[in-house]
Amino acid sequence: MNAIDSPSKKRILVTGGAGFLGSHLCTRLLADGNHVICLDNFYTGSPDNIRSLVRTPAFEVIDHDVTSPIDLQVDEIYNLACPASPIHYQRAPLQTLKTCFMGAMNMLELAQATGAKILQASTSEVYGDPHVHPQPETYWGHVNPIGVRSCYDEGKRAAETLFFDYHRQFGVRIKVARIFNTYGPNMRPDDGRVVSNFIVQALRGEGLTIYGDGTQTRSFCYVDDLIEGFIRLMASDDTVTGPINLGTPAEFTMRELAELTTSLIGSTGGILHLPLPADDPTQRKPDISRAREVLGWQPTVALEAGLARTIEYFRGVV
């Protein structure tokens, strides 16, 4: 029997597997001895992210859009497929909303048909511009349903609804992870997220663009820590459905992040202030008490160390 066909190995589907998070997840799952199927339509995912994996016999790539059903035999599904940066999801808001909803439904149908466990990569954006700080999973959020970010925010909220209704009505084994700002290698230089923006601008000697006065906060989780959270959540007992916050409780202002980035790179481009985008949250910080208690998980990579690794990656692509 071929090693990749061994019954001890799981067949695991990762939608959005060529994206930033998906490529790291595929790498980890392969290292753990699984057969991994990477499904991606390459709208924001990149073949470069998985180039080192394609020679691995236990790795498959399928060019497919999750808004269309697919028939596969799998043991676990990680549903990560969706544009995650405002630049990309606002460029195609209807497709983003369709990906959130129809993509989730198609993967849930596949999970129901195969008996697979399925994890939804949800987001801290379900909390909107929060009135509760830090944000626990019990907080229902403060979201604009008709704004420019709504295709993503409300799309992810609707996907969570689908997951819990499939669980209640059909007994599908679900896991819902709410991801807070994550960064690391394989981010796109043009994705418009603050960490990649700052690093790329600093490496190019440009001014770092801060939207608003720079006092708004985010909590930044290094990608390896997040992937460990995914793995632990998927491996948890079936009674653990989530949602569970995955992120770091260390909170930084945009100005603090800009200053740390320029210090690590040695940039002298200064800071350029631009108007704050519509519906941009002023605070974002997870309460990870549930992750600590249920998964024994918490981040281990400090921001300065994670930024240094990310900067090293971007030096090779910018």
Side-chain angles (χ1 to χ4, degrees), residues 124-147:
S124 59
E125 298 297 335
V126 301
Y127 299 122
D129 190 2
H131 289 171
V132 173
H133 192 75
Q135 295 82 56
E137 293 89 347
T138 52
Y139 177 52
W140 290 355
H142 176 236
V143 178
N144 179 358
I146 59 171

Side-chain angles (χ1 to χ4, degrees), residues 35 64 68 172 180 184 187 195 197 227 305 314:
H35 184 98
H64 183 84
S68 298
V172 174
F180 283 69
M187 296 182 80
V195 171
N197 270 2
I227 298 306
F314 274 107

Side-chain angles (χ1 to χ4, degrees), residues 254-303:
M254 296 303 94
R255 179 168 287 278
E256 288 173 332
L257 178 66
E259 292 170 350
L260 179 56
T261 303
T262 56
S263 172
L264 290 171
I265 293 175
S267 171
T268 57
I271 291 175
L272 174 65
H273 286 272
L274 296 176
L276 195 66
D279 301 324
D280 194 52
T282 56
Q283 288 183 306
R284 188 57 58 72
K285 175 182 176 179
D287 179 336
I288 63 168
S289 301
R290 184 173 293 179
R292 285 191 177 111
E293 178 184 352
V294 176
L295 306 179
W297 176 89
Q298 64 181 9
T300 60
V301 180
L303 180 60

Side-chain angles (χ1 to χ4, degrees), residues 231-267:
I231 299 296
R232 292 191 185 202
L233 179 54
M234 182 65 91
S236 63
D237 188 270
D238 283 354
T239 60
V240 180
T241 59
I244 288 185
N245 290 336
L246 295 178
T248 177
E251 187 177 12
F252 295 87
T253 67
M254 296 303 94
R255 179 168 287 278
E256 288 173 332
L257 178 66
E259 292 170 350
L260 179 56
T261 303
T262 56
S263 172
L264 290 171
I265 293 175
S267 171

Side-chain angles (χ1 to χ4, degrees), residues 86 89-90 93 144 146-152 277-279:
Y89 64 66
Q90 290 176 30
N144 179 358
I146 59 171
V148 294
R149 301 168 67 102
S150 303
C151 59
Y152 183 72
D279 301 324

